[in-house]
Amino acid sequence: ILNVEQSPQSLHVQEGDSTNFTCSFPSSNFYALHWYRWETAKSPEALFVMTLNGDEKKKGRISATLNTKEGYSYLYIKGSQPEDSATYLCAFRENNDMRFGAGTRLTVKP
Amino acid sequence: DVKVTQSSRYLVKRTGEKVFLECVQDMDHENMFWYRQDPGLGLRLIYFSYDVKMKEKGDIPEGYSVSREKKERFSLILESASTNQTSMYLCASSLGQGSEAFFGQGTRLTVV
């Protein structure tokens, strides 16, 4: 079983704080690394798909970086807002599969 | 908009029943996946498929089988439902490895 690990498991921050999470994955046979946002009572939605070592992607206040050689990705949220509260999942794609970490549950307090 | 539709939001079945969970996508995606989600364990891969009639086991295939007779439909089958299969089941599809996945709304299955 391929291990995709996320840390921390949960995070509570104040509105306006910046935060970041980590996803670690096997560094061999890498094809792609995905980040998803999962709000309660909704389906997961894609934030980023990254395929190249050194990739950096940004969408508004959220950005992500990728290091395939050492097997990790960081997700950053700048100036957290209460609407950012969700579970953030990373997924590792080796071939036609897609395996997820357990997620980081973010709670942003007003 | 890409749509991934799961046949039921909530399902209650009895132990020993054969259960079918259906997933249909409307964007001609090659890859389809079935996951179960349990508290603290995230999304665990049960089976996936990369083409019609092609299927591969994920990490927890025991007690499950799948069918992909048409590209748009990927069915998860619980051969003989057991109480430890009570869970939330999520289906997803994607065009290829470098493409984002789209998820269904989930089926909460309770086996009594």
Side-chain angles (χ1 to χ4, degrees):
Chain A
I1 294 179
L2 295 173
N3 279 333
V4 182
E5 297 185 357
Q6 291 187 247
S7 62
Q9 194 171 31
S10 66
L11 202 51
H12 294 254
V13 301
Q14 289 294 134
E15 182 175 354
D17 286 351
S18 293
T19 188
N20 64 85
F21 327 131
T22 304
C23 173
S24 62
F25 52 86
S27 54
S28 57
N29 298 324
F30 174 87
Y31 194 91
L33 192 284
H34 298 208
W35 282 99
Y36 292 84
R37 170 192 161 90
W38 194 2
E39 292 180 75
T40 305
K42 294 186 178 180
S43 303
E45 292 185 348
L47 289 170
F48 305 114
V49 175
M50 295 188 286
T51 57
L52 297 175
N53 185 44
D55 249 356
E56 291 188 23
K57 300 240 174 171
K58 189 175 181 185
K59 187 183 286 189
R61 295 179 292 99
I62 304 177
S63 60
T65 61
L66 178 68
N67 183 323
T68 60
K69 293 185 178 178
E70 295 182 36
Y72 64 84
S73 175
Y74 294 134
L75 187 80
Y76 301 92
I77 302 179
K78 187 176 177 183
S80 303
Q81 299 297 308
E83 57 265 31
D84 295 329
S85 296
T87 296
Y88 292 83
L89 299 168
C90 69
F92 171 75
R93 296 202 74 166
E94 180 185 33
N95 201 348
N96 288 300
D97 58 355
M98 184 168 64
R99 288 178 165 84
F100 284 84
T104 293
R105 187 176 186 88
L106 174 67
T107 304
V108 183
K109 299 176 185 176
Chain B
D1 273 358
V2 174
K3 204 166 182 184
V4 180
T5 304
Q6 293 183 228
S7 50
S8 307
R9 287 297 297 267
Y10 300 95
L11 213 49
V12 180
K13 295 291 180 180
R14 294 196 178 276
T15 302
E17 275 193 78
K18 190 168 185 176
V19 181
F20 293 85
L21 302 183
E22 307 285 349
C23 177
V24 177
Q25 48 93 5
D26 64 359
M27 281 301 290
D28 204 36
H29 284 174
E30 270 80 33
N31 298 157
M32 295 189 76
F33 310 86
W34 274 107
Y35 298 91
R36 64 177 281 176
Q37 191 243 342
D38 301 289
L41 297 178
L43 293 175
R44 291 185 292 166
L45 182 62
I46 304 172
Y47 267 96
F48 61 101
S49 167
Y50 53 90
D51 203 348
V52 176
K53 297 190 189 292
M54 305 304 287
K55 57 191 178 185
E56 289 200 32
K57 293 179 181 179
D59 297 326
I60 51 165
E62 297 78 20
Y64 304 94
S65 62
V66 289
S67 171
R68 195 164 181 203
E69 296 296 317
K70 293 185 177 181
K71 195 173 187 180
E72 66 269 20
R73 185 181 297 269
F74 191 36
S75 304
L76 180 70
I77 303 155
L78 285 65
E79 298 291 343
S80 176
S82 64
T83 54
N84 63 13
Q85 292 178 309
T86 291
S87 187
M88 169 71 87
Y89 290 87
L90 276 166
C91 172
S93 73
S94 75
L95 188 59
Q97 294 101 315
S99 303
E100 66 184 281
F102 295 85
F103 286 81
Q105 75 276 30
T107 297
R108 185 164 292 283
L109 172 68
T110 302
V111 182
V112 297

